[in-house]
Amino acid sequence: MKKSILLDVLKITVVLGLVWLAFAYFSGKLNTDLDLSISVANEEKLGKVLVDDVLLNDSKIKLETNPIVDSAVQSITKRLVKSIGLTDYQYTIRVIKSEEINAFTMPGGNIFVYSGLLKFAESPDEVAAVLAHEIGHAENKHVVKRLAKELGVALLFSILSGGDAVVLNEVARTATSTVFDREQEREADDYCMSLMEKAKLNPKSLATFFRRVDEMTGDVDNNMEIIMTHPNNNSRIKNALEYKLKPNFKTESFNMNWQRVIDSVNAGDEKASNDSIK
Amino acid sequence: METQFYELPQPDQIPMREREDAMGSYLMMFAALGAGLPLPIINLIASVVYYYMNKSNSRFVRFHTYQALISSIPLTLMNAFAMFWSLRILLSHEWSITANYKGYIGMLVVANLFYFIYGIIAAIKARKGQMFYYWVFGKLSYVHAFTIKEGTTKEVFNAPPKL
């Protein structure tokens, strides 16, 4: 009798196990189908519409035009992009004039970083870490996945063939909100550390950046957007610090005067402030 | 020595009160399952209490209450694990909703649904004075309730008069 009971237990376990696997498989497959439904070409078109027609048309958004700042950011970007290898995107990084310490990714490899973040960073390596993290979101298609999940693929396709302004603004608002789930943040962090290593930059710069952001949380103000939308900083700092570098890894520092870049951002801010007083 | 079992009572031999007690074990399990949703262990405690209350009742009642009790143990543990997993996702930064989690919850919904349907059928059968054997638990409960223990003799106290 014991044998027949054991056999029954085994049968139940196998059946439940198969049901578990089936649900796990199909839930994963549904997500994959969702990802595949937006091609890279469509994502680029979507990115172009959202950036050109919405963000750059917004009078509140002012782009940083200072050549020193622009040259520094482009130099960091160039080094990172060179290390990516094969990629679907032509990365475009733009600096928004704002005191916020934040950066975000739009579809099609469009990345925006706030000048407040540049001022807060102590070195170009820290900016590179933030940009590499944003590139991680782009390479893992986190933004389109979130848009498709929250707004539906049909709506995204509808704006490719000319959507109205309200819809466009809503899609842009969803895309610019920095809220990714923890799994996506972890994926972007992992990608960032690997990319930093390939670019001969120290991946631990991500940890130093987040640690300093964390230290400021005692007096969180509205400019600390990055920390409010990026939870669990402690575990992320820990992960970055524990990242295992290859034994023969050597860093190659950026050949730039970072203080000069910060001064240029500050000078731009002062000029803007004087202009507004006038 | 081969295990000996008591004869199974037939529906016409089981009084209505015993049938209702047997049916109650399944119905009470559902009520406790509903009440115990935030903390799945509650329905298990209720099942244990109900079993001990009816332990000295007839073998028919003992069979059904025991079956209701032991069949709820694995599902309670599985529900409790789902609760733990969900809380970890909610409260911990390290855990996230994975395909495995979704698969587990899906499997649990199916298991609970089957458990519910089986419970309803078992309650109806018990009310009719019939046996109903769950997979695995039916055999275990039958052995528990109807085995003639060693040293127990089938003493006949009541005998018809000599005619």
Side-chain angles (χ1 to χ4, degrees), chain B residues 96-111:
Chain B
S96 56
I97 297 174
T98 56
N100 265 342
Y101 174 76
K102 289 179 197 165
Y104 185 76
I105 296 295
M107 181 267 289
L108 212 55
V109 169
V110 171

Side-chain angles (χ1 to χ4, degrees), chain B residues 3 21 29 49 81 104 131 157:
Chain B
T3 317
D21 282 347
M29 205 172 67
V49 170
F81 181 67
Y104 185 76
M131 302 291 282
F157 291 104

